[in-house]
């Protein structure tokens, strides 16, 4: 047993039978880990996967050159939302080299929250492209850093080329109420999409 | 044994999984919920499987959480779990069928839950 008592739960309640997932993504340093930590009911967890990729040099006899290994990591947290339903939040950057992990994270996910920073809006493009390729609905949460310029919502929408219905919220990933508001905006949006589809 | 204790550091995946890179079944998602049987003996299981069983006997966890607590890559965790399903040591909760996943009822349940937590 650990000598230090831990207040966080580890195991799921016996009544939980169903699990869903939402992806928290965005470029390097945008606040993904912070958001997962703020929202999670458990001590956030972390996994790493070592990937080996064959390089270009096919006639390399050493067997080491031409191969690259990268460690890709994700953070995740958990929220029990009802007696029987649990939500998992997976945080990882949306980059090509994260592809195997990205596939695991996005497969069957309800949607994604894309974190953005007004200092570097263009850095959000690749992740939005990846989500669109995978057909995963997303909302955008702009984290406001100390030296981020205040950009009007319309300009952010324009710069990110958002669809009119894509939710755009301002969020402080360190603040619980604010982080919940961002997640709720995403789920509300996902819900409107189902009712629109059902009405067709 | 406490589930919160970290593993002894990185292990080489092929040692843990007896040389296999792929699980015997391909049914695990990151959020598949795993339940360990409490009546099968752990004799004959390799140390990693034993560690996994000791963790999971405390209660239900997702595949991702098991990987996180054991400090193993998700890919390795899936291989171990597949063997343990085959040997009857663990069972999994049936996943939500894809057609129901984006069902308004689940999203409403989620929304209500998030609102009450916030
Ligand atoms: N002002 C402000 N700072 C934030 C916010 N979110 C995160 N930070 C800070 O930004 C830094 C980076 O946050 P992380 O959560 O580590 O970002 P990340 O996206 O996980 O970073 P990588 O995993 O390295 O890509 C930390 O020092 C955070 O405290 C926010 O909403 N507002
Ligand atoms: Mg991070």
């Amino acid at each position: 047993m650990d000598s230090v008592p831990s207040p966080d739960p580890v195991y799921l309640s016996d009544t939980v039978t169903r699990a869903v997932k939402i992806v928290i993504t965005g470029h390097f340093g945008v606040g993904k880990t912070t958001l997962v930590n703020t929202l999670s009911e458990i001590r956030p967890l972390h996994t790493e996967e070592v990937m080996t990729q064959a390089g270009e040099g096919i006639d390399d006899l050493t067997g080491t050159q031409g191969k690259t290994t990268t460690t890709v990591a994700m953070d995740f947290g958990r929220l029990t939302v009802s007696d029987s339903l649990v939500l998992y939040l997976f945080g990882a950057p949306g980059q090509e080299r994260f592809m195997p992990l990205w596939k695991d994270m996005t497969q069957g996910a309800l949607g994604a929250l894309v974190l953005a920073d007004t200092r570097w809006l263009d850095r959000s493009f690749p992740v939005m492209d990846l989500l669109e390729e995978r057909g995963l609905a997303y909302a955008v949460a702009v984290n406001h850093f100390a030296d981020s310029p205040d950009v009007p919502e319309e300009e952010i929408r324009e710069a990110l080329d958002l669809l009119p219905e894509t939710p755009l919220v301002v969020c402080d990933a360190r603040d619980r109420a604010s982080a919940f508001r961002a997640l709720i905006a995403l789920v509300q949006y996902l819900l409107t999409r189902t009712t629109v589809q059902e009405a067709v | 044994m406490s589930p919160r204790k970290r593993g002894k550091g990185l292990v080489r995946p092929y040692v843990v999984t007896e040389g296999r890179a792929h699980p015997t079944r391909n049914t695990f998602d990151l959020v598949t919920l795993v339940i360990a049987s409490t009546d099968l003996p752990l004799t004959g299981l390799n140390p990693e499987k034993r560690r996994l069983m000791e963790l999971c006997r405390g209660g239900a966890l997702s595949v991702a959480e098991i990987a996180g607590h054991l400090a193993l890559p998700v890919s390795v965790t899936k291989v171990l779990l597949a063997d343990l399903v085959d040997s009857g040591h663990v069972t999994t909760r049936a996943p939500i069928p894809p057609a129901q996943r984006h069902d308004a009822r689940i999203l409403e349940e989620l929304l209500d839950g998030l609102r009450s937590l916030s």
Side-chain angles (χ1 to χ4, degrees), chain A residues 82-168:
Chain A
S82 78
D83 285 348
S84 63
L85 185 66
V86 63
L87 168 68
Y88 287 93
L89 299 170
F90 290 97
Q95 287 173 8
E96 293 298 341
R97 69 189 180 92
F98 292 88
M99 265 344 252
L101 202 64
W102 184 256
K103 190 168 160 252
D104 263 0
M105 287 198 336
T106 54
Q107 214 156 45
L110 299 179
L113 194 59
V114 176
L115 303 185
D117 175 352
T118 53
R119 288 172 299 179
W120 331 98
L121 285 175
D122 55 338
R123 292 189 188 170
S124 301
F125 299 166
V127 67
M128 291 165 60
D129 288 346
L130 277 179
L131 291 170
E132 285 163 21
E133 277 166 30
R134 306 224 85 206
L136 204 62
Y138 61 87
V140 176
V142 174
N143 281 0
H144 201 84
F145 293 85
D147 48 347
S148 304
D150 264 318
V151 182
E153 177 175 336
E154 264 327 295
E155 278 179 42
I156 299 175
R157 287 193 163 276
E158 179 117 346
L160 295 179
D161 193 21
L162 299 185
L163 293 173
E165 70 260 27
T166 302
L168 176 66

Side-chain angles (χ1 to χ4, degrees), chain A residues 20-22 79 81-82 85-87 110 183-184 187 190, chain B residues 104-117:
Chain A
V20 289
K21 61 185 165 188
I22 283 178
L79 273 175
V81 293
S82 78
L85 185 66
V86 63
L87 168 68
L110 299 179
L183 195 57
I184 287 170
V187 178
L190 298 174
Chain B
R105 271 167 302 181
I106 287 191
L107 291 168
E108 272 159 9
E109 191 177 339
L110 179 56
L111 192 56
D112 287 347
L114 292 176
R115 282 185 174 138
S116 67
L117 287 170

Side-chain angles (χ1 to χ4, degrees), chain B residues 15-94:
Chain B
V15 175
V16 176
T17 62
E18 287 138 25
R20 286 161 305 126
H22 300 288
T24 56
R25 48 182 78 221
N26 208 8
T27 52
F28 297 105
D29 185 274
L30 286 175
V31 301
T32 300
L33 302 180
V34 175
I35 296 120
S37 105
T38 45
D39 40 52
L40 278 190
L42 305 186
T43 45
L45 296 182
N46 71 24
E48 291 304 325
K49 287 180 188 163
R50 210 179 262 262
R51 218 154 67 82
L52 190 152
M53 287 302 293
E54 280 161 1
L55 169 71
C56 290
R57 279 182 168 177
L61 290 172
S62 64
V63 170
E65 286 169 294
I66 296 170
H69 284 302
L70 296 179
L72 289 173
V74 170
S75 55
V76 173
T77 306
K78 285 180 180 173
V79 173
L80 299 177
L81 281 170
D83 285 355
L84 290 169
V85 169
D86 289 344
S87 62
H89 284 88
V90 306
T91 55
T92 57
R93 295 256 191 231

